[in-house]
Amino acid sequence: MTTGYSGPITFRGPGFVGEDAPALTDLQNCIHCGFCLPTCPTYIATGQELESPRGRLHLIRGVLDGKVEPTDSLLGHLDLCLQCRACETACPSGVPYGRIMEDARASIMDRGVTGRPFGWTLRSFVLRHIVARPKVLATIFGLGRIYTRSGLQSIIRGPLGRVLPEKLRTLESYAPVVGKSAYRDRGTLARPVDAKGRVALLTGCVHGELYPEVHHATVRVLDRLGFEVVAPPEQGCCGALHSHAGDAEAARDLARINIEAFEHAQVDYVLVNAAGCGAAMKEYGRLLRHDPAFAKRAEHFAERVQDITEFVAAQPFADVPLGPVSEDVTIQDACHLAHAQKIRSAPRQILNAIPGLRMHELDTPDRCCGAAGLYSMVQADMSRQVLAAKLEDVAHTGASIIATSNPGCSMQLENGFRRSGMRVRVQHVVELLDASYRAAR
Amino acid sequence: MRNPFRRSVEQALDASRTALASDLIAALGEQNVLWRAEDLIGYEYDATIDRRRPDAVVFPSTTEQVSAAIVIANAFGVPIVPRGSGTGLAGGAVPIMGGVVVVLTRMNRIVEIDPRDRVAVIQPGVINLRLQDECAKYGLLYAPDPSSQRICTIGGNIATNSGGPHTLAHGSTVNHVLGIEVVLPDGRVTYLGSRVPDAPGIDLRGVFVGSEGTLGIVTSITVRLQRQPEAVRTMLAIFESIEIASEAVSAIISGGVIPVALEMLDQEIIRAVEPRLHVGYPLDAGAVLLIEVEGLRESVEADAQYVVTACREMGAREVRTAESEAERARLWEGRKGGIGAIGAISPNFYILDGVVPRTQLPKVMAEVMRLSAEAGFRCANIFHAGDGNLHPNIMFDELVPGATQKVLDLGGAIMRLCVDSGGSITGEHGVGLEKRSYMEWIFSAADLEAQQRIRDAWGTGERFNPCKILPTGHGCGAGHEAEIRQHLATPGVYV
Amino acid sequence: MTTTTNAEALRSLLPGDRTRNVADYAIDGTAPAIALRPQTRDEVVRVVAAANSAGLVLVPLGARTATALGRPLTRYDVALDTTGLARVVEYEPNDLTATIEAGMTLATFQETLAAHGQYLPADPPPSDNVTIGGLLATARPGAWRHHVPGQRDLVLGITAIQPDGTVTHSGGRVVKNVSGYDMHRMHTGALGAFGVIVEATFKLQPLPVSTRTLAIECESFESAADVAYRLWDLALPLRALSILAPGAAEVAGLPPRVQVLLECMGGDAVLARCEDAIRREAATSRAPHAGEVRPGSFVTLRALAGTSALTVLRLGVPSSQVAAATQFATERGYVAWGHLAAGSVLAVMPEANTIAESVRALRAYARERGGFLEIESAPATLRAEVDPFDTPERTLVTSLKRQFDPSGTLNRGRWQEDV
Ligand SMILES: Cc1cc2nc3c(=O)[nH]c(=O)nc-3n(C[C@H](O)[C@H](O)[C@H](O)COP(=O)(O)OP(=O)(O)OC[C@H]3O[C@@H](n4cnc5c(N)ncnc54)[C@H](O)[C@@H]3O)c2cc1C
Ligand code: SF4
Ligand code: SF4
């Protein structure tokens, strides 16, 4: 036995099928330099090539070249990817990692139920039938709200917790505290006199249910900046999670719905206060590139999408009187803001303008917190490892507030703080700005 | 239809591979061994074009585990290949004859930094940049700074005797390593050198550093640190052409001031880097020199003045000085990300690593450009000009039929040019697999035989990282070129 | 055939004028059967190959300043004087590299280089009269070590004649090179165990604009350590920073107290700044005196370290232990001084016979601190009794020797190799 394998590993059928198959030209750009490795949370946690961007790209290329079969174990490595796209920022060669991974997942999904892992099918079911359906979602969160308000949650987390089995307790600890009433406003949300422009707000799926305050703050800030704000009632889920999971079909359906809804609203910009959604909507053009009826419209739509921090920072927001917010604050760059949308300075510009606010940067503010959509549930172990590193980093700053820009991150961080007993609050950047505006009165 | 004979051979192979895996698992634990075929594919490469799947991959976390893995591999008679982060540019970590790849990334503890004695003790999987960052906290410096420093391991640096921009003044890795713990090819653990410099006796440490993982596996490293300089000045000299810039390199150094770093970036590189990284390189320059001087404030002032004058005299259009630490960092970021950036402007490229005497630079660079143009390829240059260490990067598209072969031929011609100019076939990336056939250009048969004796003395047989460095070796010698061609026949990635 | 007739046969291989008086080549009191001084590489090849096939033991010798180093030879037939090979092979000042033959003295080499404002920063004991071959084969560090790169760091390539007469090269002539195994590192410090070095290529340095030697007189070893440390931490352009016990200070022509002796290099402004810093730190430590001294102090100490008639020990200790180790050696009757950056302490026993016990005590002291002790010079009896090297890894040395010199032709016994 002196030779390693060099031939194909029992190759049974085409690895990637459909129009979503990753492009060779995208993959070709990877020169295997490894510069992405030290920024990858899963590589940091494992020290293992297969859980690294370079390794995953190599696996994808292997499948594409027909050198290796997409077995469950191979797909497991792709699945452990957070899709945080930190690797994309680090890559000197400009490899479009996010796109390649989404394509790879999509074309595995295209293999149909028998050609993909069962977990992937299950996940897409959840995404299609719960997340993408506002009514179902509202019902579930309604139940959650009852659970929290009834006091049952605090009993379980308190005295009863000690007698519950470990596994159940862990599972329960993922459930968010759904205390506030959901954000259900639609239509015109703000109409200042002499409005400078008209913008639309994406109200999203989970966001309005869990963090209604962020929407309220967003609307107040925009109002103060002199913008008319509308929320088209026909809008829906952005489809980001579906794209990430490789369910391109569902994502496309959602994209079409949103494009139509927002076109109808006739606005200058479509503003998003959830980084993950913004990133996905900015990529509608590519998502619908094969759809002749929508390709152009999608591109045009994508050009008008902006993250709320990006939009605000470009306005003379500091000309509006700012009041003091005397807090020690640190900032977590949402992956889909920093890496996917390349927005880093806008949120900092806003925070730094707030009087009294003391900024303490994290060691690695743009490293993923482990939330990554459904990841925290699907890959609970890895998610927890990644989160633990983040909590440690936060603890070192001594901050009492962590500013972020994505509901997924907020949930994950709140969870982490709660479970580790840290007294740190999570706030959206726009909430802090809103607080500052309000303090100026 | 499958050949029944072949099938039985494969089954036998699989049985023995399974036995190997289970022994490794017994010794190192399941979470530290990879054996599934589709997992092994993740360890068939480094940053080169060479590919070969190992039979197993292990992730030891102690010296004892490293030794155990070696003993098991020996018992099965399979090759052993050490691996760090796999950024090597010579195929050194590719298990070209299969066998067990020993990955050191989980041995990544900085054991000790002693600011008083100015030494650090680290495990081999520590990333170069992390060590630098930790040392900086004490105002100290670990001098070797390869451009890949943000990910390459110190173990890999030892094996390849890595250099970097600051090698010009501070020397390569070997000059900074005091002592190493090594697991020898038979599994025995030994210590070479000492915590204190210049240990008596034969310099086995010096022989080991740069041996490209063919003489054993480093498991602990003691390095020498130095105090950070009081002042640093970084300059960007802008030239109309790479030839003029090359003339300036020699002129600066022969004038009696040796900068700590003297790097060249040509127009192709500037145009690849600038739009992505916005570091401030002028897009219309023919080439720039990134020059750094350091020392006491007084001498830095004088040296910087000297450099500016020398550059001007040699025809620099402009010489800029970094005004802040941030600006300095940006200028360096462009240098460190430069090679990778080529990937963004070309589907594939082939990095060469040759050395010529500094005075030959202008002539050699002109010739490199001529040869590339003649072969019909664009060539991007980003290199350690002060040391005469060239890195021509030939850009091509593997999907164009015949292109790869032409690129390899061009690479050979450029290497030949370096040798004919009194230079060498590698300045820092190593010989590994890629350059074995060029060794005969710079060494006689007797020289190579003597090198083989070193290897034999270490008792590495032919199983310890086989086929690396020396052109011959059982079963690898003549096949090398054919091997490369075979890899090239399928689409692959080239560095 | 006897050894003598065999040796006589070698004589006929070279022109008559190559023969030297054997008495001048005695090592540890033993003269060889024949002493030859070849003039060309080819002549070296002939002699070495002939000695090898005749089963003779050959010892290459340069300036013969370091013959009391290493284990005593177990046999000694042929002295090969390398000083006849003393040409500059290639020197390109603009490349800052030079290739020279191994028999050239360091002094001659430095003269050649100085004409172009360059030098090889090496200050081996006893003086620049050593040959380049000897400089590499002994690789003894001096006071400059680890302030400026030394011979070990600057050697780019070596040409050596192997026992069977094969000429081998390693490395090259460019300043950066990682092609193949670095055989030149194997030869460096090997005391001629693996081949006769006939040629070497070095990377060079520009000569400092000027240098200045200063001394700080201290109350105690502790305060010397303290001030030396602070100065080291200032990252001044130093070329030497040493702590001298009173005995060593006296040899160096300084008042017999604990002294910190430094050499700074650079232009006027830099030297002024250094001197300033030195005076300031001296004042902080309440040192009784600090100021410029004659540059010869280092030269004298270097000569003392290279006196082969005396017992010279080199202790390697971590930098933080240099002062303490110097004191420790002093208390045991040695004239001692230490170089901070290199972590080397030299201990010279003024009386001819040093007792093995005291060497062992010093070795134990160094080892406890993670270091070592090497006997750099001592009577043969002592070197037979106490391992001069103190290297734990013997197996590899033995197998290297087996590979390169299977019949033990070169310097037999120096490494106590079990060939
Ligand atoms: C973009 C880019 C830029 C680069 N720039 C430079 C540069 O400026 N200077 C430079 O010198 N190199 C450079 N390199 C090459 C490479 O980064 C270095 O050779 C580096 O030292 C390799 O480290 P690694 O951890 O990735 O080792 P690997 O690639 O994993 O291994 C390299 C060699 O070391 C051996 N090895 C690894 N670990 C050990 C160990 N613990 N014990 C024994 N042997 C071991 C392997 O067997 C192999 O032969 C660059 C590479 C890239 C991709
Ligand atoms: S997206 Fe994030 S987790 Fe996935 S490979 Fe890139 S850095 Fe790693
Ligand atoms: S940094 Fe980019 S080119 Fe380098 S290995 Fe990662 S993805 Fe590939």
Side-chain angles (χ1 to χ4, degrees), chain A residues 40-41 53 56 81-87 97:
Chain A
C40 172
R56 291 178 180 127
C81 170
L82 292 148
Q83 293 179 294
C84 68
R85 293 166 69 177
C87 46
Y97 179 91

Side-chain angles (χ1 to χ4, degrees), chain C residues 69-156:
Chain C
L69 188 53
R71 287 260 171 188
L73 296 165
T74 46
R75 193 173 144 181
Y76 180 24
D77 304 313
V78 185
L80 182 102
D81 184 331
T82 61
T83 58
L85 277 79
R87 281 160 289 256
V88 174
V89 179
E90 195 178 320
Y91 174 31
E92 174 50 75
N94 286 337
D95 282 334
L96 280 112
T97 58
T99 303
I100 45 176
E101 288 187 327
M104 176 186 275
T105 64
L106 180 58
T108 314
F109 187 34
Q110 300 288 33
E111 260 170 51
T112 315
L113 303 177
H116 297 273
Q118 297 173 357
Y119 81 133
L120 177 73
D123 61 337
S127 68
D128 279 0
N129 289 330
V130 302
T131 59
I132 296 301
L135 179 79
L136 287 170
T138 60
R140 296 164 76 180
W144 297 349
R145 186 74 181 129
H146 284 313
H147 292 288
V148 284
Q151 65 265 34
R152 255 183 214 281
D153 305 332
L154 296 173
V155 61
L156 300 174

